[in-house]
Amino acid sequence: MTPGNELLFLALGGSGEIGMNVNLYGCQGKWVMVDLGLTFADPAYPGVELVLPDLSFIEERRDDLLGIVLTHGHEDHIGAIPYLAADLGVPLYATPFTAGLIRLKLEEEGLSRDVKLNVIENGGSFELGPFGFRYVPLAHSIPEGNAVLIDTPHGRIFHTGDWKLDERPLLGRPSTPQELTAIGDDGVLALVCDSTNVFNSEASGSEGDVREGLMRTVADAQGRVLVTTFASNAARLQTLGEVAAATGRTLCVAGRSLDRIITTAKAAGYLKDFPPTVDWDDAMKLPRRDVMIIATGGQGETRAALARIAFDSHPIKLTQGDTVVFSSKQIPGNEIAIGRIQNALATAGVLMVTDRQAEVHVSGHPGRPELEAMYRWIRPQILLPVHGERRHMAEQARLGLASGIDHAPVQSNGDVLRLAPGKPQIIGHEHSARLVLDGDVILPADGSTMNERRKVSLHGQISVAVALDRKGKLIGAPALRTQGVPVEEDKTAFLAEAAEEAAGVVPKGSQDEEALRERVRLAVRRTATRWTGKKPVVDVLLIRA
Ligand SMILES: [Zn+2]
Ligand SMILES: [Zn+2]
């Protein structure tokens, strides 16, 4: 698929899922990429933490790729850069705070020299072949949330990135309704828009409201207070700094990602008034009422500070009468892990405040009233929902059509959508898939390694070693070992019987090795099924003496 005299859109990630955003725009033989994110693994990928987009479509056309434009610094938009950008060999474009986060990632992977990173001022413009780009600031839950306004020979695209409306954002200066209306006045072909919160009937709310909610909650607390939030939410950190100062508490920070964000934010000119912090030991020496801790781990991450504090394996201690404030929402899928931490805290007598009891969190994504306002300002010919599961994107398309937008196509990763000329239309499908980072190795998410891993983790494994002499006669008894097969105290008896069954199917004379291995495998598996009702993976090794 090579774009001709037309404007194409192709998502390699982020359409049909929340996470791993990778959007391509194609025109006159050239492509540009907007965002290069990752997603976090679920139990379907045992032993894996990070999921990456399969970029083979554009890797095969890297000569026609002009650059990668990053909207903002969340992992689902920049997280795959250290793993995939160097191979693409094209420059990156980002505003200063986002660029600071990317630079840290590249340094950690030793890639600073391999990837060219262009820093664009907030509100700045640049050109890539037939595409002109301008950053348009919007409020979000990280500094420098940006839309990109993309000029093309076939019309303009307003690609929102992640956004919300916030009249009191605390950090940065989002575009005003007047500025957005002016963009609409100039004519917009397509609004490519965040679908995350399309099912919310209310607006996301302001960071300013959270400030008041947190102020009251912390002022009412008796002992130590710990607040957990996303490290990247620098406006929330700013709020927490103000709350600590106003309530006379000394701040203490627990979590490596928090240290990193605070440093990067200060370098980009944010968090100027953030109060000085004390280290963990000093914080524990202060009177309980004089301490406020900011910690990572509000999503239940087992290795983050909050989990370690809850399970008493951290220098910071919480006890009876202390308070933990969850200044974040539960990301779907994390409820069980968060519940485990909350139960441990409850057992220790720690009080907890979540966004259901007090206004201690607001979302960074637009609810329906905000989406409708954006449609009124931008007035696009086409609404293209992205950044959502299929149900979110389909619902946003319905909302857009009901608001009077002419076209609202729903696409999935891999669909090639022609935006112009003519009516928007899906004209083809290209390869899109998930990769996993397993240790240091990048693999297909549905390849042999992950399939084997899944099978072994579900069914257990039995290894069988069979020694044969030169004529193919069995030497001694087959040796067996089990991993994760539910035989427990019957193990010795089970292994003896399985070894006997295995020996029984080895014929006396020479034979085809493959057939022999299969006979032994089936005999051992049958025995395991008889004993346990399970069908473990059986691995047979033939040894020739
Ligand atoms: Zn975001
Ligand atoms: Zn996002």
Side-chain angles (χ1 to χ4, degrees), residues 141 207 209-211 213-215 217-218 225-231 233 235-237 239-240 243 292-295 297-299 306 324-330 342 352-356 358-363:
S141 48
E207 192 63 31
D209 302 335
V210 175
R211 187 176 177 282
L214 280 168
M215 201 67 88
T217 303
V218 175
V225 173
L226 180 149
V227 184
T228 178
T229 187
F230 283 110
N233 194 338
R236 191 66 47 83
L237 301 182
T239 302
L240 292 171
V243 169
M292 180 169 146
I293 302 139
I294 306 179
Q299 296 304 319
L306 179 61
V324 170
V325 182
F326 287 80
S327 184
S328 54
K329 78 157 196 166
Q330 295 194 350
Q342 291 179 336
M352 279 165 276
V353 179
T354 70
D355 62 350
R356 286 182 224 163
E359 191 156 24
V360 292
H361 176 64
V362 287
S363 171

Side-chain angles (χ1 to χ4, degrees), residues 466-476 506-507 509 511 513 516 542-545:
V466 179
L468 302 170
D469 68 12
R470 209 172 303 155
K471 291 180 187 146
K473 239 180 87 193
L474 185 67
I475 307 172
V506 179
Q511 61 253 255
E513 284 198 2
L516 174 57
L542 290 187
I543 300 146
R544 291 273 174 190

Side-chain angles (χ1 to χ4, degrees), residues 72-77 140-142 161-163 194 364-365 387:
H72 67 286
H74 276 148
E75 292 295 318
D76 59 324
H77 297 258
H140 186 40
S141 48
I142 190 170
D162 297 1
W163 65 281
D194 183 353
H365 299 276
H387 205 289

Side-chain angles (χ1 to χ4, degrees), residues 2-4 25-32 63-66 128-131:
T2 305
Y25 291 96
C27 184
Q28 297 173 350
K30 298 296 178 191
W31 295 96
V32 287
D63 292 346
D64 296 327
L65 180 65
L66 300 171
L128 290 174
F131 301 93

